Amino acid sequence: MTFWYAAIRPRFGPGPKTAAIAALAVWLIVVSQLLKNVAMNEPVSNLPAGPMLPILYLLTIIASTEVGAWVYKER
């Protein structure tokens, strides 16, 4: 996720807003895979499936991307 932040940072500038945009992009990829698995009746994970799972993913991805952006420094 920090890779996405580093990739879009020159266009959007450094900061938490850019990290949130990167997190949203990663979340969209994760949720699309989740929906594909649900549509094909494949097990999603060992977590209970339901409407809260994508929201949980979004919160964890945003938090981890914010931390990665905080640590990331360009030389």
Side-chain angles (χ1 to χ4, degrees):
M1 292 160 287
T2 306
F3 168 79
W4 288 87
Y5 172 76
I8 68 171
R9 184 178 171 182
R11 180 173 300 270
F12 293 101
K17 182 179 176 185
T18 303
I21 293 170
L24 185 61
V26 172
W27 179 75
L28 288 172
I29 293 168
V30 169
V31 168
S32 68
Q33 184 67 31
L34 178 72
L35 292 175
K36 180 187 82 79
N37 288 349
V38 168
M40 299 178 93
N41 291 327
E42 295 178 5
V44 176
S45 68
N46 57 359
L47 296 174
M52 292 301 293
L53 192 60
I55 295 169
L56 177 66
Y57 284 161
L58 178 61
L59 294 176
T60 57
I61 289 171
I62 287 176
S64 60
T65 306
E66 293 288 340
V67 170
W70 180 69
V71 173
Y72 177 77
K73 302 282 188 256
E74 287 187 2
R75 293 181 180 176

